[in-house]
Amino acid sequence: MTARIGVVTFPGTLDDQDALRAVRLAGAEPVSLWHRDKDLKQVDAVVLAGGFSYGDYLRAGAISRFSPVMETIIAQAKSGMPVLGICNGFQILTEAHLLPGAMLRNNHLHFICRDQKLRVENAETAWTADYDQGQEISVPLKNMDGRYVADERVLDELEAEGRVAFRYLDLNPNGSLRDIAGITNAEGNVVGLMPHPEHAVEPLVGTGGTDGLGFFTSIVKRLVAA
């Protein structure tokens, strides 16, 4: 079978085409999804791409969370469909309560754009199985509202259950608590992170490396095996 992976476009999404290309490079069929359409077109997994949906008005991701497509995605995610939220997509996942915590303005109050080193903390999710636990990777990071926060109870729960998926190394670029760069839900089918793996999937663009391709090959292998 050929896995079908949808990429959602909201008004202000910037990285949907990059995500679609990453899906194609990983060997799956990329499917464009429009935010006002509840129909997921029979995809097997969904990527919420990065950008500044609705201009980040109110809060980043706060308006997109109520787009018609999210009604279907929330229901399907709770039923086990794999969902990856990248940057603005991560923000939308927290606003939709598919992942705990919230994303706030960077602690230095500046937009940041850099190559960022990460450590893989959980290599058992639907989106990270092609990595090794403890592996260090480098992918681009670009955000203004990238500071992950949650209360101590939630943070302790994430740590105890192994749900911190990625952690910043060398530099915490936005003040995220406990250097958290990405998290997963308890079931491992929903993953959110601030850095952009879709910009590190081929040698000629992005970082010039392919450290981000594992997100997309991981989900393709999981879907084909299923």
mmCIF file of all heavy atoms in Angstrom, residues 23-76:
data_model
loop_
_atom_site.group_PDB
_atom_site.id
_atom_site.type_symbol
_atom_site.label_atom_id
_atom_site.label_comp_id
_atom_site.label_asym_id
_atom_site.label_seq_id
_atom_site.Cartn_x
_atom_site.Cartn_y
_atom_site.Cartn_z
ATOM 1 N N VAL A 23 6.923 14.619 2.739
ATOM 2 C CA VAL A 23 6.094 13.415 2.671
ATOM 3 C C VAL A 23 6.416 12.621 1.413
ATOM 4 O O VAL A 23 6.578 11.396 1.442
ATOM 5 C CB VAL A 23 4.596 13.797 2.717
ATOM 6 C CG1 VAL A 23 3.723 12.603 2.335
ATOM 7 C CG2 VAL A 23 4.219 14.320 4.096
ATOM 8 N N ARG A 24 6.527 13.323 0.287
ATOM 9 C CA ARG A 24 6.817 12.663 -0.990
ATOM 10 C C ARG A 24 8.206 12.012 -0.964
ATOM 11 O O ARG A 24 8.382 10.871 -1.429
ATOM 12 C CB ARG A 24 6.728 13.677 -2.127
ATOM 13 C CG ARG A 24 6.888 13.061 -3.518
ATOM 14 C CD ARG A 24 6.783 14.099 -4.623
ATOM 15 N NE ARG A 24 5.458 14.734 -4.658
ATOM 16 C CZ ARG A 24 5.210 15.977 -4.266
ATOM 17 N NH1 ARG A 24 6.211 16.745 -3.805
ATOM 18 N NH2 ARG A 24 3.999 16.470 -4.328
ATOM 19 N N LEU A 25 9.181 12.720 -0.419
ATOM 20 C CA LEU A 25 10.535 12.175 -0.356
ATOM 21 C C LEU A 25 10.608 10.925 0.511
ATOM 22 O O LEU A 25 11.444 10.044 0.290
ATOM 23 C CB LEU A 25 11.502 13.235 0.185
ATOM 24 C CG LEU A 25 11.844 14.392 -0.759
ATOM 25 C CD1 LEU A 25 12.622 15.464 -0.034
ATOM 26 C CD2 LEU A 25 12.624 13.883 -1.966
ATOM 27 N N ALA A 26 9.714 10.851 1.510
ATOM 28 C CA ALA A 26 9.701 9.687 2.401
ATOM 29 C C ALA A 26 8.993 8.490 1.781
ATOM 30 O O ALA A 26 9.020 7.394 2.354
ATOM 31 C CB ALA A 26 9.043 10.060 3.728
ATOM 32 N N GLY A 27 8.360 8.687 0.640
ATOM 33 C CA GLY A 27 7.736 7.578 -0.054
ATOM 34 C C GLY A 27 6.237 7.476 0.099
ATOM 35 O O GLY A 27 5.631 6.479 -0.326
ATOM 36 N N ALA A 28 5.609 8.488 0.696
ATOM 37 C CA ALA A 28 4.155 8.491 0.854
ATOM 38 C C ALA A 28 3.514 9.393 -0.190
ATOM 39 O O ALA A 28 4.189 10.157 -0.885
ATOM 40 C CB ALA A 28 3.772 8.948 2.260
ATOM 41 N N GLU A 29 2.189 9.309 -0.295
ATOM 42 C CA GLU A 29 1.439 10.188 -1.184
ATOM 43 C C GLU A 29 1.005 11.425 -0.410
ATOM 44 O O GLU A 29 0.236 11.318 0.545
ATOM 45 C CB GLU A 29 0.205 9.475 -1.727
ATOM 46 C CG GLU A 29 -0.654 10.345 -2.642
ATOM 47 C CD GLU A 29 -1.916 9.651 -3.102
ATOM 48 O OE1 GLU A 29 -2.042 8.424 -2.884
ATOM 49 O OE2 GLU A 29 -2.796 10.345 -3.661
ATOM 50 N N PRO A 30 1.485 12.614 -0.780
ATOM 51 C CA PRO A 30 1.082 13.834 -0.075
ATOM 52 C C PRO A 30 -0.297 14.293 -0.537
ATOM 53 O O PRO A 30 -0.600 14.269 -1.731
ATOM 54 C CB PRO A 30 2.162 14.845 -0.473
ATOM 55 C CG PRO A 30 2.656 14.368 -1.802
ATOM 56 C CD PRO A 30 2.479 12.878 -1.836
ATOM 57 N N VAL A 31 -1.111 14.710 0.413
ATOM 58 C CA VAL A 31 -2.469 15.145 0.126
ATOM 59 C C VAL A 31 -2.689 16.512 0.757
ATOM 60 O O VAL A 31 -2.529 16.676 1.975
ATOM 61 C CB VAL A 31 -3.504 14.147 0.675
ATOM 62 C CG1 VAL A 31 -4.927 14.625 0.373
ATOM 63 C CG2 VAL A 31 -3.272 12.755 0.110
ATOM 64 N N SER A 32 -3.034 17.509 -0.039
ATOM 65 C CA SER A 32 -3.300 18.854 0.482
ATOM 66 C C SER A 32 -4.693 18.902 1.099
ATOM 67 O O SER A 32 -5.674 18.455 0.496
ATOM 68 C CB SER A 32 -3.199 19.887 -0.647
ATOM 69 O OG SER A 32 -1.880 19.952 -1.151
ATOM 70 N N LEU A 33 -4.777 19.449 2.308
ATOM 71 C CA LEU A 33 -6.049 19.600 3.013
ATOM 72 C C LEU A 33 -6.283 21.082 3.293
ATOM 73 O O LEU A 33 -5.372 21.782 3.745
ATOM 74 C CB LEU A 33 -6.034 18.821 4.331
ATOM 75 C CG LEU A 33 -5.802 17.307 4.236
ATOM 76 C CD1 LEU A 33 -5.686 16.704 5.631
ATOM 77 C CD2 LEU A 33 -6.912 16.631 3.448
ATOM 78 N N TRP A 34 -7.491 21.557 3.053
ATOM 79 C CA TRP A 34 -7.861 22.952 3.267
ATOM 80 C C TRP A 34 -8.588 23.085 4.604
ATOM 81 O O TRP A 34 -9.431 22.260 4.948
ATOM 82 C CB TRP A 34 -8.718 23.452 2.107
ATOM 83 C CG TRP A 34 -9.131 24.882 2.179
ATOM 84 C CD1 TRP A 34 -10.402 25.370 2.169
ATOM 85 C CD2 TRP A 34 -8.279 26.035 2.260
ATOM 86 N NE1 TRP A 34 -10.395 26.751 2.229
ATOM 87 C CE2 TRP A 34 -9.097 27.186 2.293
ATOM 88 C CE3 TRP A 34 -6.887 26.194 2.312
ATOM 89 C CZ2 TRP A 34 -8.586 28.482 2.383
ATOM 90 C CZ3 TRP A 34 -6.380 27.491 2.398
ATOM 91 C CH2 TRP A 34 -7.219 28.612 2.431
ATOM 92 N N HIS A 35 -8.280 24.133 5.334
ATOM 93 C CA HIS A 35 -8.750 24.255 6.716
ATOM 94 C C HIS A 35 -10.261 24.333 6.836
ATOM 95 O O HIS A 35 -10.826 24.002 7.895
ATOM 96 C CB HIS A 35 -8.114 25.491 7.367
ATOM 97 C CG HIS A 35 -8.717 26.788 6.903
ATOM 98 N ND1 HIS A 35 -9.439 27.606 7.733
ATOM 99 C CD2 HIS A 35 -8.709 27.394 5.687
ATOM 100 C CE1 HIS A 35 -9.857 28.658 7.052
ATOM 101 N NE2 HIS A 35 -9.418 28.558 5.814
ATOM 102 N N ARG A 36 -10.975 24.743 5.808
ATOM 103 C CA ARG A 36 -12.426 24.883 5.890
ATOM 104 C C ARG A 36 -13.169 23.612 5.458
ATOM 105 O O ARG A 36 -14.400 23.586 5.461
ATOM 106 C CB ARG A 36 -12.896 26.065 5.049
ATOM 107 C CG ARG A 36 -12.447 27.425 5.598
ATOM 108 C CD ARG A 36 -13.146 28.572 4.902
ATOM 109 N NE ARG A 36 -14.600 28.497 5.066
ATOM 110 C CZ ARG A 36 -15.257 28.929 6.141
ATOM 111 N NH1 ARG A 36 -14.581 29.449 7.156
ATOM 112 N NH2 ARG A 36 -16.569 28.846 6.204
ATOM 113 N N ASP A 37 -12.432 22.599 5.127
ATOM 114 C CA ASP A 37 -13.020 21.352 4.646
ATOM 115 C C ASP A 37 -12.879 20.291 5.733
ATOM 116 O O ASP A 37 -11.771 19.932 6.123
ATOM 117 C CB ASP A 37 -12.303 20.911 3.368
ATOM 118 C CG ASP A 37 -12.997 19.750 2.674
ATOM 119 O OD1 ASP A 37 -13.944 19.189 3.254
ATOM 120 O OD2 ASP A 37 -12.566 19.393 1.562
ATOM 121 N N LYS A 38 -13.983 19.764 6.213
ATOM 122 C CA LYS A 38 -13.941 18.729 7.246
ATOM 123 C C LYS A 38 -13.470 17.384 6.707
ATOM 124 O O LYS A 38 -13.054 16.517 7.469
ATOM 125 C CB LYS A 38 -15.325 18.555 7.877
ATOM 126 C CG LYS A 38 -15.793 19.724 8.728
ATOM 127 C CD LYS A 38 -17.127 19.403 9.382
ATOM 128 C CE LYS A 38 -17.604 20.549 10.259
ATOM 129 N NZ LYS A 38 -18.897 20.227 10.923
ATOM 130 N N ASP A 39 -13.533 17.198 5.402
ATOM 131 C CA ASP A 39 -13.165 15.928 4.788
ATOM 132 C C ASP A 39 -11.648 15.776 4.747
ATOM 133 O O ASP A 39 -10.946 16.596 4.147
ATOM 134 C CB ASP A 39 -13.740 15.875 3.372
ATOM 135 C CG ASP A 39 -13.443 14.574 2.654
ATOM 136 O OD1 ASP A 39 -12.932 13.635 3.310
ATOM 137 O OD2 ASP A 39 -13.711 14.493 1.446
ATOM 138 N N LEU A 40 -11.129 14.721 5.355
ATOM 139 C CA LEU A 40 -9.689 14.473 5.357
ATOM 140 C C LEU A 40 -9.231 13.649 4.159
ATOM 141 O O LEU A 40 -8.058 13.263 4.079
ATOM 142 C CB LEU A 40 -9.276 13.770 6.652
ATOM 143 C CG LEU A 40 -9.500 14.545 7.958
ATOM 144 C CD1 LEU A 40 -8.923 13.773 9.137
ATOM 145 C CD2 LEU A 40 -8.903 15.943 7.891
ATOM 146 N N LYS A 41 -10.119 13.373 3.239
ATOM 147 C CA LYS A 41 -9.779 12.710 1.967
ATOM 148 C C LYS A 41 -9.115 11.348 2.172
ATOM 149 O O LYS A 41 -8.194 10.965 1.448
ATOM 150 C CB LYS A 41 -8.877 13.616 1.117
ATOM 151 C CG LYS A 41 -9.498 14.963 0.780
ATOM 152 C CD LYS A 41 -8.581 15.816 -0.072
ATOM 153 C CE LYS A 41 -9.199 17.169 -0.379
ATOM 154 N NZ LYS A 41 -8.310 18.038 -1.179
ATOM 155 N N GLN A 42 -9.560 10.657 3.197
ATOM 156 C CA GLN A 42 -9.108 9.287 3.476
ATOM 157 C C GLN A 42 -7.597 9.186 3.688
ATOM 158 O O GLN A 42 -6.974 8.181 3.336
ATOM 159 C CB GLN A 42 -9.544 8.343 2.353
ATOM 160 C CG GLN A 42 -11.065 8.229 2.221
ATOM 161 C CD GLN A 42 -11.480 7.271 1.128
ATOM 162 O OE1 GLN A 42 -10.974 7.310 0.017
ATOM 163 N NE2 GLN A 42 -12.427 6.400 1.451
ATOM 164 N N VAL A 43 -7.005 10.210 4.306
ATOM 165 C CA VAL A 43 -5.577 10.139 4.613
ATOM 166 C C VAL A 43 -5.360 9.234 5.823
ATOM 167 O O VAL A 43 -6.270 8.982 6.622
ATOM 168 C CB VAL A 43 -4.974 11.532 4.873
ATOM 169 C CG1 VAL A 43 -5.104 12.416 3.643
ATOM 170 C CG2 VAL A 43 -5.600 12.198 6.096
ATOM 171 N N ASP A 44 -4.135 8.749 5.947
ATOM 172 C CA ASP A 44 -3.774 7.862 7.048
ATOM 173 C C ASP A 44 -3.124 8.605 8.208
ATOM 174 O O ASP A 44 -3.035 8.071 9.318
ATOM 175 C CB ASP A 44 -2.808 6.786 6.542
ATOM 176 C CG ASP A 44 -3.376 6.005 5.374
ATOM 177 O OD1 ASP A 44 -4.415 5.339 5.555
ATOM 178 O OD2 ASP A 44 -2.787 6.081 4.273
ATOM 179 N N ALA A 45 -2.656 9.814 7.944
ATOM 180 C CA ALA A 45 -1.999 10.636 8.964
ATOM 181 C C ALA A 45 -2.084 12.093 8.510
ATOM 182 O O ALA A 45 -2.337 12.374 7.339
ATOM 183 C CB ALA A 45 -0.544 10.220 9.159
ATOM 184 N N VAL A 46 -1.851 13.005 9.448
ATOM 185 C CA VAL A 46 -1.988 14.434 9.158
ATOM 186 C C VAL A 46 -0.797 15.198 9.718
ATOM 187 O O VAL A 46 -0.318 14.913 10.832
ATOM 188 C CB VAL A 46 -3.289 14.992 9.769
ATOM 189 C CG1 VAL A 46 -3.318 16.523 9.687
ATOM 190 C CG2 VAL A 46 -4.507 14.417 9.064
ATOM 191 N N VAL A 47 -0.334 16.177 8.943
ATOM 192 C CA VAL A 47 0.678 17.123 9.402
ATOM 193 C C VAL A 47 0.056 18.514 9.452
ATOM 194 O O VAL A 47 -0.538 18.978 8.469
ATOM 195 C CB VAL A 47 1.901 17.143 8.458
ATOM 196 C CG1 VAL A 47 2.911 18.206 8.926
ATOM 197 C CG2 VAL A 47 2.560 15.773 8.390
ATOM 198 N N LEU A 48 0.170 19.170 10.597
ATOM 199 C CA LEU A 48 -0.191 20.580 10.729
ATOM 200 C C LEU A 48 1.102 21.372 10.551
ATOM 201 O O LEU A 48 1.992 21.326 11.404
ATOM 202 C CB LEU A 48 -0.809 20.863 12.095
ATOM 203 C CG LEU A 48 -2.076 20.076 12.444
ATOM 204 C CD1 LEU A 48 -2.547 20.444 13.846
ATOM 205 C CD2 LEU A 48 -3.178 20.338 11.431
ATOM 206 N N ALA A 49 1.218 22.054 9.427
ATOM 207 C CA ALA A 49 2.481 22.692 9.050
ATOM 208 C C ALA A 49 2.690 24.015 9.783
ATOM 209 O O ALA A 49 1.784 24.571 10.403
ATOM 210 C CB ALA A 49 2.510 22.905 7.539
ATOM 211 N N GLY A 50 3.904 24.532 9.654
ATOM 212 C CA GLY A 50 4.271 25.773 10.316
ATOM 213 C C GLY A 50 3.824 27.010 9.557
ATOM 214 O O GLY A 50 3.382 26.946 8.411
ATOM 215 N N GLY A 51 3.951 28.147 10.211
ATOM 216 C CA GLY A 51 3.571 29.429 9.627
ATOM 217 C C GLY A 51 3.003 30.342 10.684
ATOM 218 O O GLY A 51 3.346 30.237 11.868
ATOM 219 N N PHE A 52 2.137 31.235 10.263
ATOM 220 C CA PHE A 52 1.509 32.196 11.177
ATOM 221 C C PHE A 52 0.017 32.234 10.863
ATOM 222 O O PHE A 52 -0.508 33.215 10.343
ATOM 223 C CB PHE A 52 2.141 33.583 11.021
ATOM 224 C CG PHE A 52 3.616 33.593 11.285
ATOM 225 C CD1 PHE A 52 4.532 33.405 10.250
ATOM 226 C CD2 PHE A 52 4.102 33.756 12.567
ATOM 227 C CE1 PHE A 52 5.892 33.401 10.489
ATOM 228 C CE2 PHE A 52 5.471 33.743 12.823
ATOM 229 C CZ PHE A 52 6.364 33.566 11.788
ATOM 230 N N SER A 53 -0.668 31.137 11.162
ATOM 231 C CA SER A 53 -2.079 31.035 10.796
ATOM 232 C C SER A 53 -2.877 32.160 11.436
ATOM 233 O O SER A 53 -2.730 32.457 12.618
ATOM 234 C CB SER A 53 -2.644 29.671 11.206
ATOM 235 O OG SER A 53 -2.558 29.466 12.595
ATOM 236 N N TYR A 54 -3.705 32.804 10.607
ATOM 237 C CA TYR A 54 -4.512 33.953 11.024
ATOM 238 C C TYR A 54 -3.652 35.045 11.661
ATOM 239 O O TYR A 54 -4.117 35.790 12.531
ATOM 240 C CB TYR A 54 -5.618 33.514 11.986
ATOM 241 C CG TYR A 54 -6.715 32.719 11.316
ATOM 242 C CD1 TYR A 54 -6.705 31.329 11.352
ATOM 243 C CD2 TYR A 54 -7.739 33.349 10.624
ATOM 244 C CE1 TYR A 54 -7.698 30.586 10.723
ATOM 245 C CE2 TYR A 54 -8.742 32.614 9.993
ATOM 246 C CZ TYR A 54 -8.708 31.237 10.048
ATOM 247 O OH TYR A 54 -9.696 30.511 9.431
ATOM 248 N N GLY A 55 -2.409 35.136 11.208
ATOM 249 C CA GLY A 55 -1.530 36.191 11.694
ATOM 250 C C GLY A 55 -1.158 36.083 13.158
ATOM 251 O O GLY A 55 -0.656 37.044 13.757
ATOM 252 N N ASP A 56 -1.384 34.910 13.769
ATOM 253 C CA ASP A 56 -1.132 34.710 15.200
ATOM 254 C C ASP A 56 -1.938 35.671 16.063
ATOM 255 O O ASP A 56 -1.536 36.009 17.188
ATOM 256 C CB ASP A 56 0.355 34.843 15.539
ATOM 257 C CG ASP A 56 1.133 33.583 15.178
ATOM 258 O OD1 ASP A 56 0.503 32.560 14.849
ATOM 259 O OD2 ASP A 56 2.374 33.630 15.228
ATOM 260 N N TYR A 57 -3.091 36.155 15.555
ATOM 261 C CA TYR A 57 -3.943 37.031 16.349
ATOM 262 C C TYR A 57 -4.509 36.270 17.537
ATOM 263 O O TYR A 57 -4.677 35.058 17.507
ATOM 264 C CB TYR A 57 -5.067 37.612 15.493
ATOM 265 C CG TYR A 57 -4.572 38.578 14.445
ATOM 266 C CD1 TYR A 57 -4.827 38.373 13.094
ATOM 267 C CD2 TYR A 57 -3.803 39.689 14.807
ATOM 268 C CE1 TYR A 57 -4.363 39.247 12.132
ATOM 269 C CE2 TYR A 57 -3.330 40.566 13.843
ATOM 270 C CZ TYR A 57 -3.605 40.348 12.517
ATOM 271 O OH TYR A 57 -3.124 41.216 11.575
ATOM 272 N N LEU A 58 -4.849 36.983 18.585
ATOM 273 C CA LEU A 58 -5.274 36.443 19.882
ATOM 274 C C LEU A 58 -4.106 35.701 20.516
ATOM 275 O O LEU A 58 -3.460 36.214 21.415
ATOM 276 C CB LEU A 58 -6.494 35.534 19.745
ATOM 277 C CG LEU A 58 -7.771 36.169 19.169
ATOM 278 C CD1 LEU A 58 -8.909 35.159 19.178
ATOM 279 C CD2 LEU A 58 -8.162 37.411 19.947
ATOM 280 N N ARG A 59 -3.865 34.477 20.093
ATOM 281 C CA ARG A 59 -2.678 33.706 20.452
ATOM 282 C C ARG A 59 -2.351 32.844 19.242
ATOM 283 O O ARG A 59 -3.227 32.512 18.452
ATOM 284 C CB ARG A 59 -2.927 32.777 21.658
ATOM 285 C CG ARG A 59 -3.163 33.440 22.968
ATOM 286 C CD ARG A 59 -3.343 32.397 24.073
ATOM 287 N NE ARG A 59 -4.345 31.392 23.728
ATOM 288 C CZ ARG A 59 -5.656 31.552 23.908
ATOM 289 N NH1 ARG A 59 -6.117 32.674 24.432
ATOM 290 N NH2 ARG A 59 -6.509 30.588 23.574
ATOM 291 N N ALA A 60 -1.088 32.458 19.135
ATOM 292 C CA ALA A 60 -0.700 31.606 18.006
ATOM 293 C C ALA A 60 -1.501 30.312 18.045
ATOM 294 O O ALA A 60 -1.481 29.583 19.038
ATOM 295 C CB ALA A 60 0.795 31.306 18.074
ATOM 296 N N GLY A 61 -2.235 30.033 16.971
ATOM 297 C CA GLY A 61 -3.007 28.810 16.863
ATOM 298 C C GLY A 61 -4.401 28.874 17.458
ATOM 299 O O GLY A 61 -5.196 27.942 17.277
ATOM 300 N N ALA A 62 -4.736 29.971 18.134
ATOM 301 C CA ALA A 62 -6.005 30.043 18.857
ATOM 302 C C ALA A 62 -7.211 30.081 17.929
ATOM 303 O O ALA A 62 -8.271 29.538 18.249
ATOM 304 C CB ALA A 62 -6.023 31.261 19.776
ATOM 305 N N ILE A 63 -7.079 30.724 16.765
ATOM 306 C CA ILE A 63 -8.202 30.794 15.825
ATOM 307 C C ILE A 63 -8.241 29.524 14.970
ATOM 308 O O ILE A 63 -9.315 28.951 14.743
ATOM 309 C CB ILE A 63 -8.094 32.049 14.939
ATOM 310 C CG1 ILE A 63 -8.115 33.318 15.810
ATOM 311 C CG2 ILE A 63 -9.230 32.098 13.929
ATOM 312 C CD1 ILE A 63 -7.919 34.606 15.037
ATOM 313 N N SER A 64 -7.094 29.064 14.525
ATOM 314 C CA SER A 64 -7.043 27.867 13.686
ATOM 315 C C SER A 64 -7.647 26.665 14.384
ATOM 316 O O SER A 64 -8.221 25.779 13.733
ATOM 317 C CB SER A 64 -5.598 27.560 13.300
ATOM 318 O OG SER A 64 -5.061 28.583 12.507
ATOM 319 N N ARG A 65 -7.535 26.616 15.676
ATOM 320 C CA ARG A 65 -8.076 25.498 16.430
ATOM 321 C C ARG A 65 -9.569 25.295 16.148
ATOM 322 O O ARG A 65 -10.094 24.190 16.257
ATOM 323 C CB ARG A 65 -7.823 25.739 17.918
ATOM 324 C CG ARG A 65 -8.407 24.697 18.856
ATOM 325 C CD ARG A 65 -9.734 25.185 19.445
ATOM 326 N NE ARG A 65 -10.322 24.201 20.323
ATOM 327 C CZ ARG A 65 -11.130 23.225 19.928
ATOM 328 N NH1 ARG A 65 -11.401 23.061 18.657
ATOM 329 N NH2 ARG A 65 -11.660 22.391 20.802
ATOM 330 N N PHE A 66 -10.270 26.375 15.752
ATOM 331 C CA PHE A 66 -11.712 26.288 15.504
ATOM 332 C C PHE A 66 -12.051 26.145 14.023
ATOM 333 O O PHE A 66 -13.224 26.196 13.657
ATOM 334 C CB PHE A 66 -12.405 27.519 16.086
ATOM 335 C CG PHE A 66 -12.364 27.554 17.585
ATOM 336 C CD1 PHE A 66 -11.456 28.356 18.248
ATOM 337 C CD2 PHE A 66 -13.214 26.756 18.337
ATOM 338 C CE1 PHE A 66 -11.403 28.382 19.635
ATOM 339 C CE2 PHE A 66 -13.169 26.773 19.727
ATOM 340 C CZ PHE A 66 -12.259 27.584 20.376
ATOM 341 N N SER A 67 -11.047 25.973 13.163
ATOM 342 C CA SER A 67 -11.325 25.717 11.754
ATOM 343 C C SER A 67 -12.056 24.387 11.606
ATOM 344 O O SER A 67 -11.809 23.448 12.370
ATOM 345 C CB SER A 67 -10.020 25.680 10.950
ATOM 346 O OG SER A 67 -9.469 26.972 10.825
ATOM 347 N N PRO A 68 -12.946 24.264 10.619
ATOM 348 C CA PRO A 68 -13.721 23.026 10.456
ATOM 349 C C PRO A 68 -12.873 21.763 10.378
ATOM 350 O O PRO A 68 -13.261 20.719 10.910
ATOM 351 C CB PRO A 68 -14.486 23.280 9.157
ATOM 352 C CG PRO A 68 -14.665 24.769 9.114
ATOM 353 C CD PRO A 68 -13.393 25.328 9.684
ATOM 354 N N VAL A 69 -11.702 21.837 9.724
ATOM 355 C CA VAL A 69 -10.887 20.636 9.596
ATOM 356 C C VAL A 69 -10.456 20.100 10.955
ATOM 357 O O VAL A 69 -10.283 18.879 11.130
ATOM 358 C CB VAL A 69 -9.654 20.904 8.706
ATOM 359 C CG1 VAL A 69 -8.615 21.769 9.436
ATOM 360 C CG2 VAL A 69 -9.027 19.599 8.227
ATOM 361 N N MET A 70 -10.301 20.991 11.942
ATOM 362 C CA MET A 70 -9.824 20.553 13.245
ATOM 363 C C MET A 70 -10.851 19.698 13.968
ATOM 364 O O MET A 70 -10.493 18.836 14.777
ATOM 365 C CB MET A 70 -9.430 21.759 14.091
ATOM 366 C CG MET A 70 -8.152 22.440 13.650
ATOM 367 S SD MET A 70 -6.729 21.308 13.576
ATOM 368 C CE MET A 70 -6.633 20.761 15.284
ATOM 369 N N GLU A 71 -12.116 19.919 13.693
ATOM 370 C CA GLU A 71 -13.146 19.076 14.311
ATOM 371 C C GLU A 71 -12.914 17.608 13.964
ATOM 372 O O GLU A 71 -12.970 16.728 14.830
ATOM 373 C CB GLU A 71 -14.532 19.524 13.853
ATOM 374 C CG GLU A 71 -15.677 18.722 14.454
ATOM 375 C CD GLU A 71 -17.034 19.212 13.975
ATOM 376 O OE1 GLU A 71 -17.170 20.420 13.675
ATOM 377 O OE2 GLU A 71 -17.964 18.373 13.897
ATOM 378 N N THR A 72 -12.615 17.363 12.689
ATOM 379 C CA THR A 72 -12.359 15.997 12.242
ATOM 380 C C THR A 72 -11.022 15.491 12.763
ATOM 381 O O THR A 72 -10.906 14.342 13.205
ATOM 382 C CB THR A 72 -12.379 15.920 10.707
ATOM 383 O OG1 THR A 72 -13.549 16.567 10.208
ATOM 384 C CG2 THR A 72 -12.371 14.475 10.234
ATOM 385 N N ILE A 73 -9.995 16.345 12.710
ATOM 386 C CA ILE A 73 -8.661 15.930 13.155
ATOM 387 C C ILE A 73 -8.671 15.581 14.641
ATOM 388 O O ILE A 73 -8.075 14.576 15.062
ATOM 389 C CB ILE A 73 -7.627 17.029 12.849
ATOM 390 C CG1 ILE A 73 -7.387 17.104 11.335
ATOM 391 C CG2 ILE A 73 -6.308 16.767 13.583
ATOM 392 C CD1 ILE A 73 -6.510 18.258 10.905
ATOM 393 N N ILE A 74 -9.338 16.375 15.450
ATOM 394 C CA ILE A 74 -9.396 16.093 16.886
ATOM 395 C C ILE A 74 -10.043 14.738 17.134
ATOM 396 O O ILE A 74 -9.536 13.910 17.915
ATOM 397 C CB ILE A 74 -10.155 17.217 17.622
ATOM 398 C CG1 ILE A 74 -9.315 18.502 17.622
ATOM 399 C CG2 ILE A 74 -10.471 16.805 19.063
ATOM 400 C CD1 ILE A 74 -10.075 19.732 18.084
ATOM 401 N N ALA A 75 -11.153 14.483 16.457
ATOM 402 C CA ALA A 75 -11.847 13.207 16.636
ATOM 403 C C ALA A 75 -10.983 12.044 16.170
ATOM 404 O O ALA A 75 -10.888 11.006 16.851
ATOM 405 C CB ALA A 75 -13.170 13.225 15.883
ATOM 406 N N GLN A 76 -10.340 12.200 15.013
ATOM 407 C CA GLN A 76 -9.521 11.122 14.480
ATOM 408 C C GLN A 76 -8.267 10.892 15.323
ATOM 409 O O GLN A 76 -7.837 9.747 15.512
ATOM 410 C CB GLN A 76 -9.137 11.437 13.035
ATOM 411 C CG GLN A 76 -10.291 11.387 12.044
ATOM 412 C CD GLN A 76 -10.869 10.002 11.910
ATOM 413 O OE1 GLN A 76 -10.157 9.021 11.743
ATOM 414 N NE2 GLN A 76 -12.205 9.910 12.012
#
